[in-house]
Amino acid sequence: MKRAFEYFIEKLILLSGIASIIFVILIFIFLLREGLSLFAATNPLEFLFGRNWYPISDPPQFGILPLILGSLLVTLGAIIIAVPLGIAAAVYVAEIAPLWLRDILKSGIELLAAIPSIVLGFIGIATLAPMLKAVFHLPSGLTALAGSIMLAFMAMPTIVSIIEDSIVSVPKSYKEGSLALGATHWQTIYKVILPAASSGILAAIMLGIGRVVGETMAVLMITGNAAVLPTSFLQPVRTLTATIAAEMGEAVAGSSHYYALFAIGIVLFVISFVINLLADMFLHRKVK
Amino acid sequence: MKKNKIEVKDLDLFYGDFHALKDVKVGIEEKVITSIIGPSGCGKSTLLRVLNRMNDLVEGIKITGSVKIDGQDVYSPNCDLVALRKQVGMVFQRPNPFPLSIYDNVIYGPRVHGEKDRDRLNALAEESLRSVLLFDELKDHLRDSALTLSLEQQQRLCIARLLAVCPEVILLDEPCSALDPYSTLKIEELLQTLKRDYTILIVTHNMQQAARASDFTFYMLLGEMIEYGETKQVFTSPQDPRTEEYITGRFG
Ligand SMILES: Nc1ncnc2c1ncn2[C@@H]1O[C@H](COP(=O)(O)OP(=O)(O)OP(=O)(O)O)[C@@H](O)[C@H]1O
Ligand SMILES: [Mg+2]
């Protein structure tokens, strides 16, 4: 009886494993089928590099260059803000903060990760946008910069905790060796510890980028949502993800607009895949 | 009679409530090799780390007494920690080259202390690597990662890295315990040549090593100094029966 039960459990687990793989494959096939249908009518190069996204004009234009650049700009801004802050915070938590403060900070960072992105977006609209509007004298605060700042906050917990882990796992003997040569704590941090933790830092940046590129709702709310070629951070933009979220409801199933949104999905999929691959590579790279 | 380089008096050290060094008193001459021996946990590393204040990192540590190097009290409030650690260098049990190139390892110290001149750095690197007999072997590989070296080479590199900051005292904490017997002998030979210019303290668990490589021997037990004297005398006619038990292998 017990035997049969174990057998049953074992098979059940096996089945769930197989099921999850099958689901991934099915999703991927579906995405490809729907997305690639677009290219029956539209040239792939025109899709990727077209400067106009007019999905419902007649004839429609499906150029996603503004969206790609929108995503790039917002991501770049977020990374420029989040990486230095993240490294500094991680160094502080791992190396400088006294023990009692370390625990408080670590739970604080975890708490930041637990805030739903929609809530952050909401807070961003209520506080960040008016502030940017006033500071830069803009017609509206809903800009790429607002998106970048908010996404930086979303990416920070991931970035800080991965960098902190990699700093903590730098062998203590490096630190001792450096201090014993008369280096100061600060010299030891930037000349030995950070270089030794560099693969973890790169992985953290990659995963941070992944988090930022994939973020949707908050970005939709706060970037101003204008599908135009961006020229500065102080201008409304629209990202790939926000486009899908905003237009999926109104696109008629089977229309080329509908297919175009799936094609954007493929682009996003490829981007995330490459980023995760890179992050994995950095994380598992052995120190040469 | 040479003058004492290191003068330790009434040294007590506590890790929290644990009394790790008890009333240690020792004077160490300049340019000799002193070996510190004793069973595991008797405080050898602790004593060594008192001398370059590597213990400062430990939380809850309390140190009383006086530790003077060249007459300067190491624990006085106006002691310059950076200068002290330049003067008193340390080699660790496991070779710990930084994950940088061989060259960057050697000139790490001078760079940290503000030396920017290329020629001067190159000269220092060459001189230091020569002193540890690595230069001819490695002169075409200075840009390779230090982690590609054998353990013995890594330990030599760590010594070279130290020599590059021109210390006066070198502390070695079981520097050969990760090395094979042949490499161990080579490192001992190296210490004999370094003795001409440096005051050397070496912690070791290897009685033969203490006997053949050192001029003075310091035997510790449970944080106390049991015996201190010329190595020959300590090993042939120890004053304390506990020392005899230890060095003849009946204890520890
Ligand atoms: N950071 C610390 N906190 C608390 N106790 C410590 C600390 N470091 C060492 N001790 C204790 O102090 C005593 C002496 O330690 P020490 O490392 O100096 O011994 P040792 O003679 O070097 O031993 P070994 O031969 O094993 O290296 C040991 O009992 C050890 O448990
Ligand atoms: Mg020890």
Side-chain angles (χ1 to χ4, degrees), chain B residues 41 44-46 93 173-174 203 205:
Chain B
K44 305 181 294 296
S45 302
T46 303
Q93 184 165 358
D173 194 348
E174 302 181 45
V203 167
H205 275 287

Side-chain angles (χ1 to χ4, degrees), chain A residues 99 172-184 187-188 191-192 195-196 287-288, chain B residues 49 52 54 57 59 82 85 88 90 92 96-99 108 111-113 145 147 161-162:
Chain A
L99 274 177
K172 232 183 142 63
S173 64
Y174 292 167
K175 184 175 171 182
E176 285 198 321
S178 171
L179 292 176
L181 285 169
T184 61
Q187 286 170 327
T188 301
K191 289 195 174 224
V192 177
V287 185
K288 281 169 291 172
Chain B
R49 286 162 169 267
N52 66 345
M54 283 301 280
L57 295 177
E59 287 194 28
V82 170
R85 294 206 176 132
V88 184
M90 183 162 220
F92 297 84
N96 60 347
F98 305 129
Y108 181 86
R111 256 197 194 150
V112 157
H113 299 303
S145 163
L147 304 184
R161 181 171 78 180
L162 201 64

Side-chain angles (χ1 to χ4, degrees), chain B residues 143-176:
Chain B
R143 297 284 159 198
D144 293 2
S145 163
L147 304 184
T148 59
L149 299 176
S150 73
L151 278 181
E152 184 206 334
Q153 288 174 320
Q154 290 190 9
Q155 197 61 300
R156 282 174 185 271
L157 178 64
C158 290
I159 298 174
R161 181 171 78 180
L162 201 64
L163 300 185
V165 299
C166 311
E168 292 160 20
V169 179
I170 300 179
L171 311 172
L172 303 107
D173 194 348
E174 302 181 45
C176 301

Side-chain angles (χ1 to χ4, degrees), chain B residues 160-222:
Chain B
R161 181 171 78 180
L162 201 64
L163 300 185
V165 299
C166 311
E168 292 160 20
V169 179
I170 300 179
L171 311 172
L172 303 107
D173 194 348
E174 302 181 45
C176 301
S177 63
L179 306 183
D180 61 52
Y182 180 71
S183 311
T184 301
L185 278 180
K186 303 293 264 181
I187 297 277
E188 283 173 22
E189 274 172 28
L190 172 61
L191 294 184
Q192 293 305 322
T193 59
L194 293 179
K195 187 172 95 173
R196 271 181 256 134
D197 303 308
Y198 305 93
T199 306
I200 297 175
L201 275 87
I202 176 170
V203 167
T204 176
H205 275 287
N206 178 334
M207 286 310 109
Q208 287 104 325
Q209 181 169 58
R212 73 187 165 228
S214 70
D215 306 304
F216 289 83
T217 296
F218 185 97
Y219 174 59
M220 292 177 73
L221 188 60
L222 297 173

